[in-house]
Amino acid sequence: MNSKKLLLILVAVVAIGIGSVFLFTGSFALNGNEQASTSEPGNQPNQEEVVTDVESLEKIAKTLAIIQEQYVEEVDEETLIQGAIEGMLDTLDDPYSVYMDQETANQFVESLGSSFEGIGAEVSMTDGTVTIVAPFRESPAENAGLQPNDKIIEIDGESTDGLSLYEAVLKIRGEKGTTVTLTVERAGANELLTIPVIRDDIPIETVRVSTIERDGQTIGLLDITSFSSDTADRFEEGLEELEAQGIDGLLIDVRGNPGGYLDSVEKIGKLIIPGGEPIVQIQDRTGERVRYVSSLDERKPYPIVGLTDRSSASASEILSAALIEAGDYDVVGETTFGKGTVQQTIQLGDGSELKLSLFRWLTSAGNDINGEGVEPTVEVMQPDYFYSAPLTGNETLTLDMMNEQTRSAQTMLKGLGYETGRTDGYFDEQTEEAVRAFQQAEGLNVTGEIDEETASSLQQIIVDEVREESNDKQLQTAIELIIKQAQQ
């Protein structure tokens, strides 16, 4: 391909990109029932700017031609172009703006369907490292013990260094029943963690509806696992079902929810946020804002309480902030992840796509939570064993060893009532006695050592304890709070 032909293609790509951005801006405003802003003639690029842009594109085309014709080794043209695009995105220092080739773009579309096969986790590229944003609720990723901000260093023993985000995603995803082993770096851990995850079908059931009976009160629970294209409809159906039962209060749980479509959370906001209050504000690069205001006829006659954790991201944070700032409702749990930008997928014409950050979103009151998160009104941490790294059983843990696996085992044993005396990862005699007591209680071979059988048993019991509703301090606190408010 000669440089003039490439130049024409680059100009066309730029034109397509600009058109996509303006189209998105217009549809974005219309989705929010707001008047779309239009571009004035004075905002169009002048002739001097166009000439500069063409000169810059000529430089790119010339560089490509020189490399193709003179570099010491033959280089694939598509690889060079893809590298140029990824290089431009790297300079943005934005983990959410990424390039997807045709194969990855197809995989991305599949993940938005009714189900897909994989581990069930939202990931991003942070400081050049593939990083867990949030594992989906009750997914293989969560069950294996992956946590927000875990940095994936290796996939099946191969370094992730140099991989793009979506190249890493393709390696992590795979057929149901197969295992992918992730080596992760976790803040506070003194060594890398090796975490095997068994892939499974990841259903996209985005809203779960249930009720809780307590102290003569019926509390509705809407658990939102992600914000997909039909989530608002499912939420509305669930809300109508609960209200028909005459609920005394409503819990909205977005813990472990990595986010999703903005218009979905906007529609949900209009079902529960008092009319006339902004649900979210969207700010473009010039600082211009569009407010998305609730049109709810009247405030709900029952109290509402939200639930968040460190895995609640993006659209989850929009809803949580709206509950606090616009609804004057309580939110129980932990400070959220802190993702405050909005992405749009822009097609590049050959099946490949750009997923580009086009806007910042601000809370109802105009606060920017990017990198900060939304603080709950009632902060509640779960028991320590909820956050412990999983036991792999790859190595028998014995007296005088010191490592992260021992630390996790100590935390788990202490949570189950076996006093280890310490949780710093040093396997001392008191830890050995706690292990013996656990082994005896569970009918295991009493050795005082944590072998594969003991590790597996301890890990499974902890998983069961985490799933036990009565151990969920955040949920129990939210229930108590909503009963108190319903009785006032």
Side-chain angles (χ1 to χ4, degrees), residues 262-325:
L262 184 67
D263 62 344
S264 180
V265 70
E266 178 208 342
K267 292 174 183 176
I268 289 174
K270 290 181 178 180
L271 297 173
I272 56 175
I273 298 300
E277 295 293 334
I279 299 164
V280 65
Q281 301 184 52
I282 303 302
Q283 179 175 289
D284 66 16
R285 62 191 295 172
T286 69
E288 184 178 349
R289 298 184 186 182
V290 176
R291 298 164 76 241
Y292 294 84
V293 178
S294 175
S295 55
L296 185 65
D297 291 336
E298 57 185 21
R299 188 180 181 88
K300 292 297 182 181
Y302 47 77
I304 298 176
V305 172
L307 280 159
T308 63
D309 64 10
R310 63 187 71 178
S311 300
S312 304
S314 191
S316 299
E317 298 175 280
I318 291 175
L319 185 58
S320 301
L323 287 172
I324 296 169
E325 297 178 356

Side-chain angles (χ1 to χ4, degrees), residues 117-402:
E117 293 182 345
I119 68 170
E122 172 85 1
V123 295
S124 70
M125 187 69 77
T126 304
D127 297 327
T129 306
V130 181
T131 304
I132 300 290
V133 173
F136 296 171
R137 184 79 63 84
E138 297 180 10
S139 66
E142 183 185 65
N143 293 338
L146 287 169
Q147 297 182 11
N149 292 312
D150 279 350
K151 296 183 180 300
I152 301 175
I153 307 301
E154 293 180 352
I155 302 170
D156 287 333
E158 295 184 4
S159 173
T160 58
D161 188 34
L163 291 180
S164 70
L165 176 64
Y166 285 98
E167 286 172 336
V169 168
L170 289 176
K171 289 179 177 291
I172 294 171
R173 291 183 63 180
E175 292 185 13
K176 174 182 177 180
T178 60
T179 299
V180 59
T181 301
L182 304 179
T183 303
V184 306
E185 179 183 301
R186 179 172 296 169
N190 296 323
E191 58 192 45
L192 297 178
L193 306 175
T194 301
I195 302 178
V197 189
I198 301 175
R199 301 178 178 102
D200 202 349
D201 282 325
I202 310 299
I204 311 299
E205 178 191 4
T206 60
V207 180
R208 301 170 185 168
V209 185
S210 60
T211 57
I212 300 168
E213 301 290 338
R214 186 78 59 86
D215 296 344
Q217 305 286 318
T218 299
I219 303 168
L221 174 60
L222 289 172
D223 184 356
I224 311 174
T225 60
S226 66
F227 291 87
S228 298
S229 57
D230 65 344
T231 300
D233 292 336
R234 302 288 81 79
F235 183 94
E236 185 172 14
E237 291 170 2
L239 184 60
E240 290 175 352
E241 176 186 332
L242 293 173
E243 290 182 334
Q245 298 179 45
I247 56 173
D248 300 296
L250 177 66
L251 291 174
I252 301 175
D253 191 347
V254 294
R255 292 177 298 174
N257 184 324
Y261 291 121
L262 184 67
D263 62 344
S264 180
V265 70
E266 178 208 342
K267 292 174 183 176
I268 289 174
K270 290 181 178 180
L271 297 173
I272 56 175
I273 298 300
E277 295 293 334
I279 299 164
V280 65
Q281 301 184 52
I282 303 302
Q283 179 175 289
D284 66 16
R285 62 191 295 172
T286 69
E288 184 178 349
R289 298 184 186 182
V290 176
R291 298 164 76 241
Y292 294 84
V293 178
S294 175
S295 55
L296 185 65
D297 291 336
E298 57 185 21
R299 188 180 181 88
K300 292 297 182 181
Y302 47 77
I304 298 176
V305 172
L307 280 159
T308 63
D309 64 10
R310 63 187 71 178
S311 300
S312 304
S314 191
S316 299
E317 298 175 280
I318 291 175
L319 185 58
S320 301
L323 287 172
I324 296 169
E325 297 178 356
D328 196 25
Y329 295 120
D330 280 306
V331 169
V332 174
E334 302 168 73
T335 298
T336 59
F337 182 80
K339 179 180 181 294
T341 54
V342 181
Q343 287 71 45
Q344 167 71 0
T345 299
I346 302 171
Q347 296 182 356
L348 298 181
D350 61 350
S352 63
E353 299 177 348
L354 283 182
K355 185 181 173 192
L356 193 65
S357 297
L358 298 184
F359 303 94
R360 289 189 181 277
W361 71 262
L362 308 176
T363 67
S364 176
N367 297 313
D368 183 356
I369 62 89
N370 199 48
E372 301 293 332
V374 177
E375 293 185 7
T377 57
V378 181
E379 184 175 19
V380 178
M381 298 293 291
Q382 300 285 35
D384 289 342
Y385 62 82
F386 273 60
Y387 308 105
S388 58
L391 295 178
T392 62
N394 294 335
E395 177 185 20
T396 298
L397 308 178
T398 61
L399 195 64
D400 289 331
M401 292 181 71
M402 185 168 184

Side-chain angles (χ1 to χ4, degrees), residues 27-101:
S27 62
F28 198 75
L30 292 174
N31 285 340
N33 295 322
E34 302 284 349
Q35 183 177 358
S37 60
T38 57
S39 299
E40 298 296 332
N43 293 333
Q44 300 300 320
N46 60 38
Q47 186 173 358
E48 184 177 335
E49 290 173 335
V50 171
V51 170
T52 302
D53 289 341
V54 171
E55 289 175 348
S56 298
L57 293 173
E58 284 180 338
K59 183 189 295 185
I60 296 172
K62 186 175 181 180
T63 301
L64 176 65
I66 291 172
I67 293 174
Q68 283 188 293
E69 295 168 9
Q70 301 182 34
Y71 183 63
V72 66
E73 294 179 3
E74 187 172 339
V75 185
D76 177 65
E77 177 185 288
E78 184 60 31
T79 301
L80 287 173
I81 294 174
Q82 181 172 325
I85 295 172
E86 291 175 348
M88 285 187 281
L89 291 171
D90 284 344
T91 65
L92 302 179
D93 195 25
D94 175 12
Y96 308 112
S97 290
V98 293
Y99 168 77
M100 294 181 281
D101 61 23

